Amino acid sequence: MTSYPTLLETFKQLLKGSGFKFTKQRELVLKVLYENEGHFTPEDLYNLIKSKHPDINLGIATVYRTLTLLEESGIVNSISFGSKGKKYEMGLKEHHDHLICIECGRLIEFQDETIEKLQEEIAQKFNFKMTDHIMNITGICEACQTASK
Amino acid sequence: MTSYPTLLETFKQLLKGSGFKFTKQRELVLKVLYENEGHFTPEDLYNLIKSKHPDINLGIATVYRTLTLLEESGIVNSISFGSKGKKYEMGLKEHHDHLICIECGRLIEFQDETIEKLQEEIAQKFNFKMTDHIMNITGICEACQTASK
DNA sequence: CTGACTGCAAAATCTTTGCAAAGAC
DNA sequence: GTCTTTGCAAAGATTTTGCAGTCAG
């Protein structure tokens, strides 16, 4: 797992390389994502940052803009919830996929080497230049199955 | 592949079973999805139905309501495009996954037996009652790769 | 300094909802 | 007849954009 300073450096390099600037707001979005394990909506992040750093000025628009930037750079990943928006997570650990509970919204991560390999093969087969891949299994988690009995 | 009359019958049964009513609008959403191969946004479907059946009254809200119904019944599937909404397709053929071009939005379908099996195993491993599973590979399709050269 | 970035509020999207009229059974 | 469904328009929710002031390099 990449350490925060290293990650920060990577981010700065990326910004510099594209002629973008390093700002307090951008750093905070990255930091909060790094320090908090989990999946967050843009609003979650906005509130988190506001509560942990009441001193700084921050608009929700900046959170959206920064997340887009981070996602394009491959630093964070997003997962879509239909009309319920997106959630974001740090994308530097090994690639993994998600089990999503349709009852409680819980997210469980898993990874499977074989699936990863198959995805690459498929992309190749269609002459597709793969930039990302996601697999979501939706269903009802153990807890919710028990609860509804 | 299920024939349309059979499909329609299934739909009627489902409605009756839940105390819902069979209406012209609901039938048309199903029919247009059945007759047109591909993936559609609610608005696409609304326009398609309006143009093919100018006589009938139809509101976009009904299309949304019907699609939700059809998806819950497992008759259609949806695929999410982040903040760009959802697309729907008939869900009765064999399960398949998607390659999504981030340049032109093109959707390519594929299926892979091994992946299907692995997904089931994973769900089982987490005591997850799987209701659906999707795998999307995003990237740049062959045509767009060529175009940008 | 200069051009990128920010917050704000307004706008744009996409989707859902309340309600009176219409329709299915 | 009764209860669901519909269309419409208004409301919601989420995300994006325009702009003038601010800040990084």
Side-chain angles (χ1 to χ4, degrees):
Chain A
M1 188 71 184
T2 319
S3 70
Y4 184 63
T6 308
L7 175 59
L8 191 56
E9 204 43 48
T10 307
F11 187 34
K12 283 186 180 173
Q13 290 303 321
L14 276 166
L15 289 174
K16 191 185 279 184
S18 310
F20 295 142
K21 295 182 175 171
F22 180 72
T23 65
K24 195 85 188 138
Q25 287 83 353
R26 284 175 175 169
E27 178 182 357
L28 282 178
V29 172
L30 181 68
K31 192 174 174 204
V32 167
L33 266 166
Y34 184 87
E35 290 178 348
N36 296 275
E37 188 79 16
H39 307 78
F40 305 96
T41 63
E43 208 188 337
D44 289 341
L45 289 169
Y46 174 74
N47 292 328
L48 253 174
I49 296 170
K50 285 287 226 180
S51 70
K52 293 205 176 181
H53 305 271
D55 43 315
I56 205 177
N57 257 35
L58 178 70
I60 187 85
T62 298
V63 177
Y64 275 97
R65 288 185 280 227
T66 304
L67 286 171
T68 303
L69 195 61
L70 287 168
E71 188 174 14
E72 283 172 354
S73 312
I75 295 180
V76 308
N77 297 136
S78 73
I79 169 171
S80 221
F81 280 77
S83 49
K84 260 66 179 177
K86 281 180 172 183
K87 288 189 183 177
Y88 291 83
E89 63 174 349
M90 283 301 308
L92 289 176
K93 10 183 198 181
E94 285 179 274
H95 181 83
H96 58 267
D97 295 296
H98 296 102
L99 289 157
I100 306 171
C101 178
I102 53 176
E103 296 278 324
C104 65
R106 186 175 320 194
L107 275 180
I108 302 172
E109 296 175 356
F110 69 89
Q111 51 168 308
D112 187 299
E113 261 307 307
T114 317
I115 288 182
E116 298 297 309
K117 285 221 184 67
L118 286 169
Q119 289 173 325
E120 278 164 37
E121 282 169 25
I122 288 160
Q124 208 154 43
K125 187 165 140 197
F126 287 92
N127 272 315
F128 219 76
K129 188 171 170 189
M130 177 162 73
T131 57
D132 194 15
H133 54 276
I134 54 170
M135 195 179 109
N136 299 327
I137 297 181
T138 48
I140 303 170
C141 73
E142 196 168 7
C144 288
Q145 286 177 56
T146 311
S148 65
K149 273 174 194 162
Chain B
M1 188 73 182
T2 319
S3 71
Y4 184 63
T6 308
L7 175 58
L8 190 58
E9 202 45 48
T10 306
F11 187 36
K12 284 187 180 173
Q13 290 303 322
L14 275 165
L15 289 173
K16 191 185 277 183
S18 311
F20 295 139
K21 294 180 177 175
F22 179 73
T23 65
K24 194 84 186 138
Q25 286 84 350
R26 284 175 176 168
E27 179 182 358
L28 281 177
V29 172
L30 181 69
K31 193 175 173 202
V32 166
L33 267 166
Y34 183 87
E35 291 177 348
N36 296 276
E37 190 79 16
H39 307 79
F40 306 95
T41 63
E43 208 187 337
D44 290 340
L45 289 168
Y46 174 73
N47 292 328
L48 255 174
I49 296 169
K50 284 287 226 181
S51 70
K52 295 205 175 181
H53 305 269
D55 43 315
I56 205 178
N57 257 35
L58 178 70
I60 186 84
T62 298
V63 176
Y64 275 97
R65 287 185 281 228
T66 304
L67 285 171
T68 302
L69 196 61
L70 286 168
E71 188 173 15
E72 283 172 355
S73 312
I75 295 180
V76 308
N77 295 138
S78 73
I79 168 170
S80 223
F81 280 76
S83 50
K84 261 68 181 176
K86 280 180 172 183
K87 288 188 181 176
Y88 291 84
E89 64 175 347
M90 283 301 308
L92 288 177
K93 12 183 196 180
E94 285 182 274
H95 180 83
H96 58 268
D97 295 297
H98 296 102
L99 288 157
I100 307 171
C101 178
I102 54 177
E103 296 278 323
C104 64
R106 186 176 318 194
L107 274 180
I108 302 172
E109 296 175 356
F110 69 89
Q111 50 168 308
D112 186 297
E113 260 307 307
T114 317
I115 289 182
E116 300 296 310
K117 286 222 183 69
L118 285 170
Q119 290 172 325
E120 278 165 36
E121 282 168 23
I122 288 160
Q124 210 155 41
K125 187 166 138 196
F126 287 91
N127 271 314
F128 218 76
K129 189 171 171 188
M130 178 162 73
T131 56
D132 194 14
H133 54 276
I134 55 170
M135 195 179 106
N136 299 326
I137 296 179
T138 49
I140 303 169
C141 73
E142 197 168 7
C144 288
Q145 286 176 56
T146 310
S148 66
K149 272 175 196 161

